Amino acid sequence: MAVAKAINQLSNLVYRISCVIVVVLLAAMVVVTSLQIICRVFFTALSWSEELARYLLVWSTFIGAGCVYKTGGHIAVTIVRETLPKNAQKFLKILAHVLCGVFFVIATYYGFKYMGRQGSQLSAALRIPMRYIYMAIPVNSCVMLLHTVNEISQIINSKEVTAQ
Amino acid sequence: MTALLFSVFFLGLIIGIPIAFAIGISAVTVLINGDVNLLIIVQRMFAATDSFPLIAVPFFILAGDLLSRGAISHRLVTFADSLLGRIKGGLSVVSVIAGMFFAAISGSGAATTAAVGAPLIPELKKRNYREDSSIALIAASGCIGVVIPPSVPMVLYAVIADQSVTQLFKNGFLPGVLMGGVLIGVSLFQAHKYNYPKGIMFSWKNLWSTFKQSVWGLMMPLIILGGIFSGYFTPSEAAAVAVVYSMFVSLFLYRDLTLKDISKIMLGSAKTSSIIMLIIACSGIFGWVLANWKIPETVAMGILSVSTNKYIIMLMISIIILIAGVFMETSSAVILLTPVFLPLVQMLGINLVHFGIIFTVGISIGMITPPVAINLFVGSSITGIPIERISKAVIPYLVGLILAFLLYIYLPIFVPAIIF
């Protein structure tokens, strides 16, 4: 139980931090893209703005995906599941989370491996090592894995409560 | 491999795995089965999201959310009312016109429904319009939100099919106006059936004062669409301009949103766009699997063995699109089905821009077909009317939109130069 509680707290903390970061990234995308227009019209065109905006999009996509996973907001077809009895529903929910968890493990493992292989390349305009961009995928897969484990433990614990 | 891919995908969907992960898991299963190095999944997920045109997705979503929450939408509706309120059932016409106008600012159907519905519903109630039919009409007009540019599904299609976003945008006006015209026709018929009242007397003075109040909103399509079509902005840049402009108007001119509201709205929009972008990322893997095992070609051959007539096949495709719209959310359907249909459409010699518009119109109708009907959900949450009642009331408008859809598909038979 103590472990479950710790996981839950960690998952909530990561969620709150991710929400702040994703808003900052979206704001940064707006600023960078606006700056690109202003500089092109009034001064000279920026060479790095488009690349930066793209990388911000990559990061915000995967961080945002983690936030949405936590709140259960990813689009899913739940009509079939909802027609089943309560216990079967619970089982399918856990199964769905486990399968997603497997996907996150694969994405995390190969994400870090990919970072190791291709990470030392420099980006075209900003000259930053690509590992910092690729990192978005394994790091946030890890975050989603945390949320998944938390969800599964919550479902199992709630079963114990109803059984008592 | 085709059977494995689709059976894992549908099985995943049925047990309730979110669509993005069902796509990812089914693709990874095939990759493991085919002994492909799994590093490809990271590479494809990255490549799929690393795209400048796609930046328009979060921006247009954010702009739509800002506008539908702020006072701009209220003032636009008031202006449309002072222009057209005089007609019998005029508020119904106002619903459609406001929806079309909003479509020229926002790129999503839900935002359009919310933006038009929130200010109009109290007014419609006050004038004794049938509430379920009115919100159904607003939801149906919301479909035009993704047809008249800017449009999120068109951006997605353009990126996947490697077409120009600007060209798709240019061709969205005709079907958008067509859909609006059909909806106005149906709504006027309903107005006579239910004997709706006439609105306020038309006066130039009133028109001028509501025009002045809504001028900041009215200028928006000029800036966004004018900027894109003159080549001054790329669509992504125009989307950023739309965000900055609507923030500026809400914060400093109308002063109806605080910075705190805006950061809250931004979180919501960031989440919405992440949902779409994650589906894009995962279908990057899916698309690679499709291409590697030549699955779309297999599908194309299967369909071509039934018939080789262009128009019959287009009818089959459009029925598939409509059915997909019943069960799937708009963006996911575009992302998932575009790569499957593309080789078939190319073999038939159909213009890919025209097909993109057909796809967008067809899938937009899916926003009012339950169970997955985002516009009806938005309408239900604004009015508190249960979704079942709105679903029933939407049927005449749905039939109208499907007719407009078929008309647009077969228009090239009569008017060959439909795409420019």
Side-chain angles (χ1 to χ4, degrees):
Chain A
M1 273 313 261
V3 180
K5 208 173 168 192
I7 291 175
N8 189 27
Q9 275 170 346
L10 184 62
S11 156
N12 288 340
L13 178 70
V14 170
Y15 171 70
R16 276 199 298 274
I17 296 172
S18 311
C19 283
V20 175
I21 298 177
V22 87
V23 170
V24 172
L25 289 178
L26 180 57
M29 272 160 69
V30 176
V31 171
V32 169
T33 312
S34 310
L35 207 64
Q36 171 173 326
I37 304 169
I38 294 169
C39 286
R40 193 186 56 221
V41 175
F42 298 105
F43 312 101
T44 46
L46 297 173
S47 59
W48 49 268
S49 56
E50 196 170 306
E51 189 179 284
L52 180 58
R54 281 196 335 251
Y55 293 160
L56 289 169
L57 178 68
V58 171
W59 263 96
S60 77
T61 297
F62 290 100
I63 292 191
C67 296
V68 178
Y69 196 87
K70 170 81 183 168
T71 50
H74 282 296
I75 301 161
V77 182
T78 50
I79 318 161
V80 183
R81 196 162 74 187
E82 277 157 12
T83 57
L84 298 173
K86 273 270 170 326
N87 276 335
Q89 275 195 36
K90 204 167 263 178
F91 172 73
L92 283 186
K93 265 185 201 164
I94 294 175
L95 181 64
H97 279 301
V98 169
L99 289 174
C100 288
V102 172
F103 182 70
F104 299 143
V105 170
I106 293 175
T108 308
Y109 175 76
Y110 285 96
F112 281 121
K113 207 169 161 188
Y114 192 76
M115 269 173 67
R117 288 257 182 101
Q118 314 280 335
S120 53
Q121 288 174 356
L122 297 180
S123 74
L126 291 162
R127 312 302 294 167
I128 40 173
M130 287 304 286
R131 76 170 67 87
Y132 297 114
I133 323 297
Y134 296 144
M135 213 200 283
I137 296 173
V139 165
N140 290 297
S141 297
C142 227
V143 168
M144 285 191 269
L145 187 61
L146 170 71
H147 293 322
T148 311
V149 172
N150 182 41
E151 286 298 320
I152 295 173
S153 92
Q154 298 279 327
I155 295 171
I156 292 173
N157 283 330
S158 76
K159 189 163 121 196
E160 278 166 7
V161 172
T162 47
Q164 273 165 4
Chain B
M1 284 299 182
T2 313
L4 180 68
L5 182 71
F6 287 106
S7 52
V8 173
F9 172 66
F10 284 114
L11 217 66
L13 272 193
I14 288 170
I15 66 168
I17 294 180
I19 187 159
F21 302 121
I23 293 170
I25 290 167
S26 61
V28 169
T29 313
V30 173
L31 288 177
I32 293 174
N33 221 286
D35 225 8
V36 178
N37 189 339
L38 291 184
L39 278 177
I40 191 96
I41 67 174
V42 185
Q43 192 220 331
R44 295 313 304 167
M45 278 167 93
F46 172 75
T49 41
D50 178 32
S51 143
F52 192 68
L54 283 180
I55 290 177
V57 173
F59 287 174
F60 278 133
I61 290 173
L62 176 57
D65 287 349
L66 285 168
L67 289 167
S68 58
R69 226 62 69 81
I72 294 180
S73 58
H74 275 256
R75 295 176 192 230
L76 286 175
V77 166
T78 323
F79 173 65
D81 187 28
S82 69
L83 194 66
L84 297 157
R86 183 79 193 103
I87 313 165
K88 188 175 175 67
L91 266 194
S92 301
V93 182
V94 168
S95 311
V96 181
I97 297 285
M100 286 167 74
F101 187 83
F102 224 82
I105 306 178
S106 106
S108 92
T112 307
T113 309
V116 178
L120 259 180
I121 284 300
E123 201 58 31
L124 285 156
K125 254 192 211 164
K126 217 190 301 172
R127 297 192 205 167
N128 286 323
Y129 279 63
R130 281 176 61 110
E131 217 184 337
D132 53 353
S133 178
S134 305
I135 193 65
L137 175 62
I138 291 171
S141 314
C143 296
I144 306 174
V146 297
V147 176
I148 291 183
S151 156
V152 171
M154 281 186 200
V155 171
L156 298 175
Y157 175 88
V159 170
I160 297 168
D162 202 17
Q163 298 295 308
S164 134
V165 177
T166 310
Q167 235 204 327
L168 271 139
F169 277 8
K170 266 185 200 161
N171 287 288
F173 287 106
L174 175 69
V177 171
L178 199 65
M179 289 163 82
V182 169
L183 286 180
I184 288 176
V186 178
S187 72
L188 286 177
F189 182 77
Q190 302 271 77
H192 279 272
K193 191 171 136 199
Y194 297 129
N195 202 16
Y196 285 157
K198 290 179 184 177
I200 39 161
M201 283 294 285
F202 179 84
S203 85
W204 286 105
K205 209 178 124 208
N206 190 21
L207 188 68
W208 175 239
S209 82
T210 54
F211 172 78
K212 269 195 304 194
Q213 279 173 357
S214 61
V215 70
W216 296 111
L218 288 168
M219 263 165 59
M220 252 189 112
L222 283 182
I223 297 171
I224 301 173
L225 298 177
I228 296 175
F229 295 143
S230 63
Y232 210 75
F233 305 137
T234 63
S236 299
E237 289 173 348
V241 172
V243 169
V244 173
Y245 184 86
S246 46
M247 276 187 188
F248 180 79
V249 171
S250 302
L251 278 176
F252 300 112
L253 297 174
Y254 292 162
R255 297 205 190 124
D256 57 319
L257 290 177
T258 62
L259 271 176
K260 212 176 156 199
D261 296 328
I262 287 184
S263 73
K264 232 189 218 161
I265 294 173
M266 280 176 78
L267 178 61
S269 315
K271 281 182 176 174
T272 312
S273 77
S274 291
I275 294 172
I276 299 175
M277 288 298 298
L278 187 71
I279 298 174
I280 295 250
C282 291
S283 53
I285 319 171
F286 196 82
W288 191 88
V289 169
L290 288 180
N292 195 47
W293 276 278
K294 298 206 166 30
I295 293 169
E297 282 80 357
T298 316
V299 173
M301 287 307 168
I303 292 183
L304 285 174
S305 68
V306 179
S307 164
T308 48
N309 183 311
K310 192 167 150 179
Y311 298 105
I312 293 176
I313 292 179
M314 276 317 288
L315 186 67
M316 285 163 63
I317 292 181
S318 50
I319 291 170
I320 295 174
I321 293 173
L322 287 175
I323 294 174
V326 173
F327 296 103
M328 280 169 84
E329 178 270 342
T330 319
S331 303
S332 1
V334 173
I335 298 165
L336 210 58
L337 289 178
T338 303
V340 177
F341 282 143
L342 226 45
L344 175 63
V345 174
Q346 271 167 327
M347 280 181 214
L348 289 174
I350 294 167
N351 181 317
L352 286 186
V353 172
H354 187 211
F355 181 66
I357 307 290
I358 290 175
F359 203 154
T360 309
V361 174
I363 209 68
S364 79
I365 296 174
M367 296 192 290
I368 53 165
T369 48
V372 186
I374 180 79
N375 288 4
L376 299 187
F377 284 109
V378 172
S380 166
S381 72
I382 296 173
T383 54
I385 299 177
I387 195 107
E388 292 79 18
R389 254 180 72 199
I390 306 179
S391 311
K392 223 175 269 170
V394 87
I395 291 169
Y397 305 117
L398 178 63
V399 172
L401 285 181
I402 291 175
L403 288 179
F405 176 46
L406 291 175
L407 183 63
Y408 180 72
I409 296 175
Y410 293 108
L411 212 53
I413 302 179
F414 315 108
V415 195
I418 187 177
I419 292 298
F420 50 90

